[in-house]
Amino acid sequence: GDWTGTAPALYCISLQEMIDLSAGNVLRDAVLDNTGGDALQKWRVDFETAFKYVQSARRLCFGPTNEFPQLVALEHMVGVGVLVFARPDLLKAHQIRTARIPTGFGGGNLGNKGAVAVSLQLESTSLCVVGAHLAAHRGDVGGRNANYHSIVERDCFRRGLGWSQKEEGSRSVPSYEKNACRDGFGVLDHDVVLWLGDLNYRFQADVPDERVIELVRRKDYASLTRLDQLCDAMNNNKAFSTHDFREHSLNFAPTYKYATNSDKYDFELPQEEQANRKIRCPAWCDRVLWRVA
């Protein structure tokens, strides 16, 4: 179709497991701060290449000046990353800051799990973009809820110089600091918060896999929604809804877990292929939520 003048003004991208989350990689990135950063830079190049392709293929897609979106900010922590691009003809971002908020190994001090975030000002509106990777495994819904509260309770952003004015490596709260910012501010201290990533919420642990698979095959998303751990947490004010986050209705197939380079779930593979892998129960692990103050 004709995309002239219709391309979005802002692009917020969250990535998880950019690198293998082995103990060695987690410690290496905590010390050297480059393993995940190198991976994120490669993704940045890929996204910019995609923007350039669209720019050339769809005339004036990005408005009368046809400038493709420019990077506003990026941040990484081990395997999780966030990038924000904006169309320069429409949006002027300022007061840009980033933060790392670990909730992983070592009592929540290492970044194998947690979030990275970007804080910026768009005209008179403050916006925070959170890219998160929360606790794994179907039975650890309590860990995911705790990760959420740990992230929002920290004053993770520094006041002062903006992201583009700081030396590389100095723009974030160090991973070992929890509430370390003097006169700092947090995720919830913004007019709008966009929270996206692999939040790892599954279907309730007492529901048999066979029941979930049956509902997935029937595309009975309403029934699946009633079994979803995040929906339950929000309905009972255990996480996210405690601070007025909202989510669009789940009227699409669960996003986890597909076979690599395939549109088939693990359980749909031929029996001989299933024998060589652990078959995971489908789930809506990947989520997008928002909050408007």
Side-chain angles (χ1 to χ4, degrees):
D2 183 5
W3 292 2
T4 303
T6 62
L10 191 69
Y11 300 79
C12 305
I13 302 165
S14 174
L15 301 166
Q16 299 80 42
E17 298 191 51
M18 298 186 297
I19 62 173
D20 181 66
L21 299 181
S22 65
N25 276 344
V26 172
L27 292 172
R28 188 178 302 110
D29 201 72
V31 174
L32 300 177
D33 194 30
N34 62 4
T35 310
D38 291 345
L40 185 60
Q41 287 296 340
K42 292 177 182 177
W43 278 103
R44 171 189 176 176
V45 171
D46 287 343
F47 288 123
E48 290 177 339
T49 300
F51 286 138
K52 290 176 183 177
Y53 171 79
V54 173
Q55 179 191 46
S56 62
R58 304 285 185 175
R59 193 172 75 84
L60 300 182
C61 166
F62 296 121
T65 61
N66 204 27
E67 294 182 79
F68 69 87
Q70 302 296 308
L71 181 71
V72 172
L74 81 170
E75 186 57 282
H76 80 279
M77 181 180 67
V78 192
V80 63
V82 66
L83 307 96
V84 177
F85 295 87
R87 282 177 53 182
D89 60 317
L90 293 181
L91 289 180
K92 303 298 181 186
H94 56 100
Q95 296 184 31
I96 302 164
R97 300 171 178 86
T98 69
R100 300 172 184 173
I101 315 165
T103 63
F105 298 146
N109 291 319
L110 292 178
N112 58 300
K113 290 294 188 289
V116 291
V118 172
S119 170
L120 51 87
Q121 192 80 15
L122 297 173
E123 302 294 340
S124 61
T125 300
S126 60
L127 169 67
C128 182
V129 181
V130 180
H133 191 189
L134 305 187
H137 305 302
R138 192 171 178 181
D140 197 15
V141 61
R144 291 183 273 283
N145 294 343
N147 286 170
Y148 164 76
H149 288 286
S150 180
I151 290 166
V152 299
E153 288 168 3
R154 299 189 195 183
D155 292 333
C156 55
F157 293 106
R158 299 182 189 277
R159 300 188 189 275
L161 293 177
W163 177 74
S164 61
Q165 296 172 281
K166 292 189 177 184
E167 294 296 324
E168 182 67 27
S170 67
R171 61 179 183 267
S172 301
V173 179
S175 294
Y176 55 81
E177 296 184 35
K178 284 196 173 181
N179 231 343
C181 292
R182 262 184 232 172
D183 193 30
F185 60 102
V187 166
L188 300 179
D189 297 319
H190 294 80
D191 298 320
V192 179
V193 181
L194 178 64
W195 190 303
L196 58 162
D198 181 1
L199 307 191
N200 256 323
Y201 286 92
R202 315 297 175 94
F203 295 112
Q204 300 290 10
D206 60 353
V207 179
D209 290 6
E210 293 76 15
R211 174 61 175 160
V212 173
I213 290 171
E214 176 192 357
L215 294 172
V216 169
R217 283 177 168 152
R218 285 166 37 190
K219 299 184 180 180
D220 188 350
Y221 304 140
S223 294
L224 287 169
T225 297
R226 289 191 289 271
L227 303 177
D228 179 74
Q229 291 175 345
L230 178 54
C231 292
D232 177 75
M234 294 179 71
N235 288 338
N236 291 285
N237 287 321
K238 296 176 182 177
F240 289 98
S241 61
T242 51
H243 299 101
D244 298 320
F245 276 93
R246 300 175 62 192
E247 183 181 32
H248 194 275
S249 58
L250 299 169
N251 56 6
F252 51 89
T255 56
Y256 174 90
K257 181 177 183 286
Y258 288 92
T260 305
N261 297 322
S262 169
D263 61 356
K264 294 183 180 297
Y265 290 107
D266 282 349
F267 69 82
E268 295 177 305
L269 294 174
Q271 287 297 320
E272 60 271 19
E273 293 185 40
Q274 290 189 29
N276 298 321
R277 65 174 71 217
K278 185 172 182 179
I279 305 303
R280 304 283 189 176
C281 183
W284 281 302
C285 290
D286 311 287
R287 311 294 276 259
V288 177
L289 299 98
W290 69 91
R291 173 183 187 266
V292 179

